[in-house]
Amino acid sequence: MTPRFAVLVLVLAVTAIAAGSPAATESAPDPLPGAAPLEWPEQAHADMADRLMDGAHRFVEGKLAAARDKRETFWSRDLANGPEAYEVSVAPSRERLREILGVVDERLPAAMERFGAGDAPGVVAEHDGYTIWQARWPVLEGVWGEGLLAVPHSEPAGYAVALPDADQTPEDVMGLTAALDPARQMGRRLAERGFLIAVPVLADRRPLDPEAVGVPPEAVGRTEQSDQTHREWLYRQAFHMGRHVIGYEIQIVLAAAAWLRAEAGPGAQVGVAGYGEGGLIALHAAAVGTELGAALVSGYFDSREALWTEPIYRNIWGFTRTFGDAELASLIAPRPLVIEHSPGPEVTGHKGDLTSPEFAGVSAEFGRIATLVPPDFPEPILVHGGNGESTGPGSTEALNAFAEGLGVDAPAFGATAALDTPLADRREAFDPAERHLRHVLGIQGHVQQLVRRSHRVRETFFTHEILPELADTTWSTEPEHPTLPHEPFAEASAWYRTYFREVAMGEFQTERLPLNPRTRKTHDTPHWTGHDVVLDVFEDLVAWGVLLVPRDIEPGTRRPVVVTQHGRNGLPEGLIDGDRPAYGNVAAELAERGFVVFVPHNLYRGEDRYRWLDRKANALGASLFSFIIPQHDQILRWLNTLDFVDGERIGFYGLSYGGRSALRVPAALEGYALSICSGDFNQWTRKVAGVDAPASFMHTIEWETFDFNLGHTFDHAEMAALIFPRPFMVERGHYDHVAQDRWTAHEYAKVRRLYAMLGLPERTAIEYFHGGHAMRREGTYAFLHEHLDWPEP
């Protein structure tokens, strides 16, 4: 034995003896007590993470496949007692549709403004039978509908809102350009038939110009790399605030229809007709707006079980769980509905693709309508070419059926030869891009107003309901200020914790499987042993992590546990022996301090793999945390079965996306005794949906980050309030690019105030340090030792 080797052996022996128990040198059992051997092939952690991800995708895809058959459990249809009873029975579903589309704001009074310059202000084109005007109409604060208004010279034959596809302009469908074949100029054909029609502009699918929408100069490059279209740009910010680009454009349709209805007078019907994205808007507008008399939907109607494969700006929270296009049609019934099987827009690379609907799918979905409505209701109409071929958009047959549904008398729509010559646009300096930008900025402005006002909405939703005194911002002149009892707040917050878990994050209505623990030893060090642990959660979904067990645990004693959580694209090994500066081998250090440590693998790895997992889940009203929270729940259940673990002393410490988990998981699960959020805590609503901050997720590739309506329910302070009265700590590096010190300080001040007013200020802390996006591991270690009641070494 060489002297150098002899010294090494001596050091190891002394270290083992110093651990405090003769048994310290013995290997821990493999597998762990109560567990079966883990039979997964011995492989790298990255491969194990892929295995977990594959199972998660299989699980959610199974849920999507079963969604249509379970959809009726969300409805209470009355099919036997007439139209009024039917309408009452489906009203809750209509209200649910309004909520997930964000059609929840009260519109401004109906009005229509014709505007422009020149000899005939506002006149765009003259025709023998009608005049086309440049028009706009108020919708919401700062939001206007804008486009064209075709006014017949005689009494209108009918009234309608005509919607082009997103990549068409109102001028295209009115025959003011040669972009469309005359037979496809749906708006002009309605005008030729004598309709008074409004034709609004829609947000297009073209690439976003960051500078035009006010992106900060330092973020322009990142925004361009995020490859956003105008529709995605609006979708992102609106979604987080409980709104949707689809919902805003529905509001524009309904505002125009309100003005048309006033023009039409008592008894007249106003219809909506659209193609492509306009067809989508038309179908949803008629489903939520009972004031619309009939709908023509072209190039859109289909099965929506694969909604997650369509462009991201069509992502609607929980839609597939409750609705398909047939269900939307059932909300329109008994009003007339015309479905035209026409070639749809073709789009690729928009975080989802668009292809023309196949007739088999359209026909099958159309056939479902009859099973959802009373048998004596008028049947909707499916227009198509011979042998299921496509036709239109805006075919003569479809337009005739639409007009008939609105009670418009003959003459019917006929040949289009007279439309071959484009109408002459009299505007000399018109730029459709400027109008489109006004449309985008109007919706953006409304959303950003919601962002700025959101703290008031959250206070009303949360604090005012639990304990009004906490929201009282008036100054007291009393010499002493009362400390409020914390028990009523903690009890009242239980409802909000359930709401957060089931509604805000989303919850799969699936029973947990038995734990079925399987383990395998992975590490054997002088101070602790490491073990891979796999637990069942749902069918195909497991939880996996690494358990570090100190060697010096005396028989019959129980230790506190620290669950340490990696960030985006991380793996458990990175916190154990990865020597990564951000983590500093935190799990190994804590095990050497005597804590039992569990290092779970969370699903935010693989970039687009976890983003598409989240996207699939969104269609079911779920999110990435709908997987992660039940995984952690199973982890907590299993840790509580171990005879060397004190289940009352299990803490959570996570960095970055792990810091995001440190807020959401303990907010949902009371089994965690404390939580430390590192490298994430800030003003989350501004961070996610604000457009003016360079670090906002509006400018990055993280398109899965947006949670529906979270901005109006839970920011980081509210999540921390769900952790109260358990200890909570924030770790913040001054150079951490995730947020700004002032954002973190502002949001944390709310947390500090809550703990102080409820008499537990010692249970919360914040540590700032001169560093970046990393675990500091100083004040946090002291916090863990103090609040998990374990002596520091």
Side-chain angles (χ1 to χ4, degrees):
M1 180 181 296
T2 65
R4 186 174 181 182
F5 185 71
V7 171
L8 177 60
V9 171
L10 178 62
V11 169
L12 292 177
V14 170
T15 303
I17 294 170
S21 169
T25 58
E26 299 176 4
S27 295
D30 182 21
L32 290 172
L38 177 60
E39 296 180 353
W40 286 11
E42 296 223 14
Q43 54 192 171
H45 273 193
D47 296 323
M48 296 178 74
D50 288 343
R51 184 184 183 118
L52 195 157
M53 179 66 77
D54 291 343
H57 276 275
R58 287 195 303 274
F59 167 75
V60 73
E61 286 166 7
K63 287 289 187 182
L64 288 166
R68 186 171 67 183
D69 292 337
K70 296 183 178 180
R71 205 170 280 157
E72 279 304 294
T73 61
F74 296 96
W75 296 69
S76 299
R77 302 177 190 274
D78 186 339
L79 304 181
N81 296 297
E84 291 185 4
Y86 175 78
E87 173 57 32
V88 170
S89 72
V90 300
S93 296
R94 192 189 316 281
E95 185 59 31
R96 173 61 180 160
L97 182 62
R98 288 193 183 105
E99 290 175 0
I100 62 179
L101 292 172
V103 186
V104 294
D105 298 297
E106 184 177 352
R107 290 186 299 278
L108 297 172
M112 184 68 66
E113 177 184 344
R114 308 175 200 190
F115 70 100
D119 297 334
V123 174
V124 174
E126 287 280 10
H127 181 273
D128 290 344
Y130 56 90
T131 300
I132 300 177
W133 297 82
Q134 186 168 271
R136 62 188 174 201
W137 53 98
V139 182
L140 306 169
E141 182 182 1
V143 178
W144 290 73
E146 187 172 349
L148 300 175
L149 182 71
V151 182
H153 295 162
S154 57
E155 184 69 20
Y159 302 83
V161 181
L163 296 162
D165 179 51
D167 288 339
Q168 298 170 347
T169 67
E171 288 72 21
D172 294 338
V173 297
M174 287 304 300
L176 290 160
T177 72
L180 298 177
D181 182 275
R184 308 296 178 251
Q185 296 170 2
M186 189 185 298
R188 185 175 179 184
R189 296 193 70 190
L190 287 167
E192 296 274 349
R193 179 60 186 81
F195 274 72
L196 173 55
I197 61 169
V199 188
V201 66
L202 302 182
D204 66 30
R205 305 185 190 93
R206 294 178 177 85
L208 180 75
D209 178 356
E211 295 180 357
V213 296
V215 172
E218 57 269 48
V220 167
R222 291 196 299 277
T223 309
E224 291 171 341
Q225 292 172 5
S226 70
D227 194 27
Q228 294 186 62
T229 65
H230 289 104
R231 291 194 76 78
E232 181 183 344
W233 173 255
L234 295 176
Y235 154 79
R236 285 191 181 197
Q237 55 191 285
F239 190 81
H240 197 77
M241 303 311 299
R243 306 299 189 272
H244 205 292
V245 61
I246 294 171
Y248 277 110
E249 291 178 339
I250 289 172
Q251 293 276 43
I252 287 169
V253 169
L254 297 179
W259 180 83
L260 290 169
R261 200 164 50 254
E263 287 290 300
Q269 297 291 318
V270 177
V272 60
Y275 165 69
E277 218 68 23
L280 179 157
I281 302 299
L283 180 64
H284 290 76
V288 301
T290 55
E291 62 268 39
L292 291 169
L296 165 58
V297 178
S298 181
Y300 175 73
F301 193 89
D302 200 357
S303 166
R304 295 294 157 207
E305 273 64 57
L307 177 65
W308 64 271
T309 67
E310 299 177 34
I312 185 67
Y313 41 79
R314 288 188 173 187
N315 183 43
I316 302 173
W317 178 256
F319 183 87
T320 302
R321 179 177 61 183
T322 311
F323 301 99
D325 284 1
E327 281 75 15
L328 296 184
S330 76
L331 291 177
I332 298 172
R335 292 168 287 148
L337 171 64
V338 181
I339 305 297
E340 183 181 45
H341 174 50
S342 65
E346 302 280 340
V347 171
T348 59
H350 288 200
K351 287 100 176 169
D353 304 328
L354 289 181
T355 57
S356 291
E358 296 288 340
F359 181 72
V362 174
S363 179
E365 188 71 9
F366 182 83
R368 292 182 54 240
I369 300 172
T371 69
L372 304 176
V373 300
D376 57 345
F377 271 21
E379 295 183 2
I381 296 171
L382 177 59
V383 176
H384 58 86
N387 299 318
E389 296 295 322
S390 58
T391 186
S395 66
T396 296
E397 184 180 356
L399 290 172
N400 280 333
F402 176 63
E404 183 178 346
L406 289 170
V408 176
D409 297 330
F413 292 86
T416 60
L419 308 179
D420 287 345
T421 303
L423 294 171
D425 191 330
R426 295 169 53 166
R427 294 169 295 183
E428 296 181 358
F430 173 70
D431 183 355
E434 293 180 0
R435 178 185 60 194
H436 178 265
L437 181 59
R438 289 195 294 272
H439 176 77
V440 170
L441 291 178
I443 295 175
Q444 175 178 309
H446 190 269
V447 178
Q448 294 307 304
Q449 188 90 291
L450 295 176
V451 171
R452 289 189 291 272
R453 298 172 177 173
S454 62
H455 66 286
R456 299 288 187 191
V457 180
R458 291 192 301 273
E459 284 177 0
T460 300
F461 169 75
F462 191 85
T463 312
H464 284 187
E465 293 297 323
I466 292 184
L467 200 60
E469 294 93 331
L470 289 175
D472 184 6
T473 57
T474 59
W475 290 97
S476 172
T477 57
E478 298 296 325
E480 295 183 2
H481 303 286
T483 298
L484 303 169
H486 71 264
E487 290 84 1
F489 182 92
E491 292 172 5
S493 64
W495 182 91
Y496 289 87
R497 188 174 296 107
T498 301
Y499 183 95
F500 177 77
R501 184 181 66 250
E502 295 181 355
V503 180
M505 295 294 97
E507 188 171 66
F508 294 113
Q509 300 300 315
T510 301
E511 288 189 11
R512 309 282 168 79
L513 295 175
L515 294 171
N516 186 26
R518 290 90 79 198
T519 69
R520 175 176 59 212
K521 186 182 290 185
T522 58
H523 298 76
D524 204 341
T525 79
H527 293 285
W528 49 267
T529 59
H531 308 261
D532 271 330
V533 178
V534 174
L535 308 169
D536 288 340
V537 182
F538 302 134
E539 189 70 32
D540 289 318
L541 181 67
V542 300
W544 158 60
V546 180
L547 181 74
L548 309 187
V549 184
R551 288 183 177 276
D552 63 343
I553 301 178
E554 296 283 356
T557 63
R558 295 180 181 272
R559 290 280 179 93
V561 182
V562 181
V563 173
T564 59
Q565 190 62 66
H566 63 75
R568 190 181 84 179
N569 280 324
L571 290 166
E573 64 189 18
L575 285 73
I576 301 171
D577 51 16
D579 293 321
R580 294 184 57 183
Y583 299 126
N585 295 341
V586 60
E589 287 186 358
L590 287 167
E592 289 169 4
R593 285 172 169 263
F595 292 102
V596 176
V597 181
F598 192 77
V599 192
H601 177 68
N602 275 3
L603 283 162
Y604 32 76
R605 175 178 170 82
E607 293 300 341
D608 279 355
R609 290 217 70 195
Y610 73 80
R611 294 197 174 104
W612 283 106
L613 181 66
D614 182 79
R615 177 74 191 282
K616 292 173 184 177
N618 276 190
L620 298 168
S623 68
L624 204 59
F625 281 92
S626 304
F627 303 86
I628 293 171
I629 289 170
Q631 286 175 318
H632 276 260
D633 196 24
Q634 293 291 79
I635 290 167
L636 287 169
R637 292 170 191 266
W638 176 72
L639 288 172
N640 274 274
T641 69
L642 301 178
D643 58 9
F644 54 84
V645 164
D646 184 347
E648 299 297 315
R649 294 187 289 164
I650 302 178
F652 196 114
Y653 182 15
L655 170 68
S656 192
Y657 224 126
R660 193 181 307 185
S661 302
L663 278 165
R664 288 158 176 77
V665 176
L669 302 177
E670 294 182 88
Y672 281 110
L674 64 76
S675 185
I676 302 173
C677 174
S678 178
D680 188 71
F681 192 90
N682 69 105
Q683 293 180 338
W684 190 245
T685 304
R686 290 187 65 186
K687 166 72 176 178
V688 174
V691 300
D692 57 349
S696 170
F697 284 120
M698 284 297 300
H699 313 308
T700 69
I701 61 173
E702 284 95 343
W703 48 267
E704 91 295 343
T705 298
F706 305 84
D707 293 297
F708 185 71
N709 203 33
L710 197 66
H712 280 142
T713 52
F714 299 94
D715 208 307
H716 281 180
E718 287 77 29
M719 295 180 202
L722 295 180
I723 296 172
F724 179 89
R726 293 166 287 165
F728 174 72
M729 181 176 178
V730 171
E731 195 174 41
R732 162 71 193 168
H734 292 305
Y735 289 93
D736 191 336
H737 63 276
V738 165
Q740 304 174 44
D741 280 352
R742 62 180 181 271
W743 285 15
T744 301
H746 179 274
E747 194 70 10
Y748 178 74
K750 302 176 188 178
V751 179
R752 170 71 185 182
R753 181 173 185 267
L754 172 71
Y755 277 74
M757 290 187 70
L758 295 179
L760 300 172
E762 71 282 356
R763 293 192 184 182
T764 188
I766 187 168
E767 181 183 18
Y768 294 96
F769 63 93
H770 199 67
H773 194 58
M775 288 170 151
R776 176 67 165 173
R777 310 186 325 280
E778 290 188 8
T780 48
Y781 282 0
F783 193 83
L784 288 167
H785 281 285
E786 177 184 357
H787 293 288
L788 292 181
D789 192 21
W790 182 249
E792 293 202 46

